[in-house]
Amino acid sequence: MKILGTGSAVPRKTVTNDMLSEFLDTSDEWISTRTGIKSRQIITDERFEDLAAKAASRALDASGLAPDDIDYIICSNVANLYITPTLSSLIQGALGIKGPNCPTMDVNAACAGFVYCLDLCDALLATGRAHNILLVCAEEVTRFVDWNDRASCVLFGDAAGAVVVTNGGDDMLGHKMTCVPMPEVIVYCNPMEPTPFETGEGIDRHRTFEMKGREVFRMAVTAAANDIKDVIAKAGLTPDDVDHFLLHQANLRIIESIRTNLGQPHEKFPTNVERCGNTSSASVPLLLDEEVRAGRIKRGDTILFSAFGAGFVTGTALIKY
Ligand code: ACO
């Protein structure tokens, strides 16, 4: 697997912590001290599928491929307006990629979606099922959070990040995907109408987004650090051999704990959580695109991707860029 091109897009509207404190019992001081977040980009009157298509189009341009070279589209998404059709099929239409030769599918692996999908791409390329895959991670979490719950709504932002991968190299040095079934730590239930045949007893239809923040924090720090060490060791390397650690941008304190645990310098851990918040599965490819376009990630660099989220899932992948 080889990453040929990267792209990303964020919505126009910037929402600062001070703007949140106008309608929530919160403050810039609380949010920035506990999470590192200062502002986030939030989707307003834009169409989410356009945001996703913009990131996809930028990745395609950067890859040097033509739309019809793409023979598989995979989208990582937790939730969006469309339950069906898939976001990947909408992107296919927006980019003018010809249908019959290009299957599309959406994957939900929560915030670890990018890493899970990269692993899937690697398998599809290795078996010759696909040759050039467009992978788009697009999230509009702010449309699903409870805007009255100060403990969770302040954490999120919206974004899309994309990569085009091809079977022209041997970039994947190691990977590890895990899941420990724990729906109680992060859960979001879609509102659904009851059928005429049920009583509704025992079904909580009012539950929206719920998260046990402290538990997620503890699990993220422990699981991610262990998986990272494991993947690096199995590749016959040490953390010192890794040039960039691109971690899920959920909370600066989580990133800092993992960095300290690995004994690595700050400059190997780029972040965008300060200005984007937690953008779920878009956070890692967004960060990758920012670092590539800024010239800080160069061909030949060793990159470690690590993300975690609802499930509880973790995804870790080590690549030679
Ligand atoms: N503003 C002011 N006060 C707040 C806010 C807020 N926005 N939110 C909570 N508080 C209060 C609480 O009510 C509580 O008050 P109390 O002591 O009077 O009861 C106090 O602050 C402490 O609350 P805690 O939840 O214990 O605060 P903590 O230090 O654990 O920080 C946080 C909370 C930021 C959510 C942290 O636990 C965290 O980041 N966890 C990880 C969450 C995460 O990464 N989620 C996403 C992962 S998966 C995915 O991406 C979907």
Side-chain angles (χ1 to χ4, degrees):
M1 186 196 76
K2 183 177 180 61
I3 296 180
L4 276 186
T6 65
S8 63
V10 292
R12 288 187 294 271
K13 177 87 177 165
T14 305
V15 175
T16 62
N17 294 342
D18 285 338
M19 288 160 80
L20 295 177
S21 64
E22 283 169 21
F23 62 92
L24 278 172
D25 181 15
T26 189
S27 63
D28 176 47
E29 202 272 331
W30 193 96
I31 301 171
S32 28
T33 315
R34 306 272 177 142
T35 71
I37 300 165
K38 302 293 285 179
S39 63
R40 71 285 290 141
Q41 302 302 121
I42 286 191
I43 199 151
T44 50
D45 49 4
E46 295 144 300
R47 278 157 43 109
F48 173 62
E49 53 270 38
D50 292 344
L51 190 74
K54 197 190 273 185
S57 171
R58 286 177 177 159
L60 191 61
D61 282 351
S63 75
L65 297 183
D68 287 342
D69 293 329
I70 299 296
D71 57 9
Y72 221 115
I73 304 176
I74 301 177
C75 250
S76 159
N77 174 251
V78 173
N80 72 90
L81 177 67
Y82 294 91
I83 290 174
T84 198
T86 56
L87 189 55
S88 44
S89 65
L90 297 176
I91 292 170
Q92 183 190 36
L95 266 60
I97 295 171
K98 287 207 179 70
N101 304 321
C102 183
T104 63
M105 71 168 161
D106 287 11
V107 171
N108 181 350
C111 303
F114 174 69
V115 190
Y116 263 68
C117 289
L118 210 54
D119 191 38
L120 193 58
C121 290
D122 190 44
L124 287 167
L125 294 169
T127 53
R129 295 285 212 292
H131 300 92
N132 299 305
I133 308 175
L134 172 62
L135 164 56
V136 188
C137 304
E139 305 283 7
E140 51 177 349
V141 194
T142 66
R143 287 229 163 102
F144 303 95
V145 291
D146 178 354
W147 282 100
N148 296 309
D149 177 15
R150 64 178 183 171
S152 58
C153 73
V154 303
L155 305 174
F156 296 99
D158 305 314
V163 293
V164 172
V165 293
T166 189
N167 59 359
D170 55 352
D171 285 2
M172 188 71 97
L173 305 176
H175 49 93
K176 181 175 181 180
M177 311 299 132
T178 74
C179 179
V180 179
M182 294 184 75
E184 67 279 8
V185 295
I186 308 173
V187 62
Y188 171 74
C189 292
N190 248 334
M192 283 197 161
E193 293 301 321
T195 70
F197 309 104
E198 63 181 294
T199 61
E201 275 171 38
I203 303 175
D204 179 4
R205 295 199 182 275
H206 301 291
R207 204 159 60 158
T208 54
F209 188 88
E210 288 172 20
M211 182 179 68
K212 292 197 170 80
R214 285 205 167 184
E215 190 138 356
V216 173
F217 193 108
R218 187 184 55 75
M219 289 183 64
V221 170
T222 316
N226 288 344
D227 290 356
I228 291 171
K229 285 180 187 164
D230 199 23
V231 167
I232 294 174
K234 283 206 174 102
L237 302 175
T238 71
D240 291 347
D241 298 316
V242 177
D243 299 302
H244 314 275
F245 292 84
L246 267 52
L247 307 190
H248 176 41
Q249 303 288 298
N251 182 319
L252 215 49
R253 284 160 55 217
I254 294 179
I255 297 167
E256 188 54 17
S257 299
I258 296 171
R259 185 191 72 75
T260 315
N261 185 311
L262 295 170
Q264 293 296 302
H266 279 286
E267 56 270 22
K268 286 191 181 183
F269 289 72
T271 57
N272 61 25
V273 66
E274 304 88 337
R275 62 197 149 75
C276 296
N278 178 347
T279 58
S280 190
S281 76
S283 91
V284 173
L286 170 64
L287 187 60
L288 172 67
D289 184 49
E290 288 174 351
E291 292 302 294
V292 166
R293 283 174 194 266
R296 289 187 286 269
I297 287 183
K298 299 186 179 60
R299 287 288 170 197
D301 286 357
T302 303
I303 309 175
L304 187 290
F305 298 117
S306 162
F308 60 87
F312 188 87
V313 297
T314 67
T316 313
L318 185 64
I319 68 153
K320 188 68 118 179
Y321 178 66

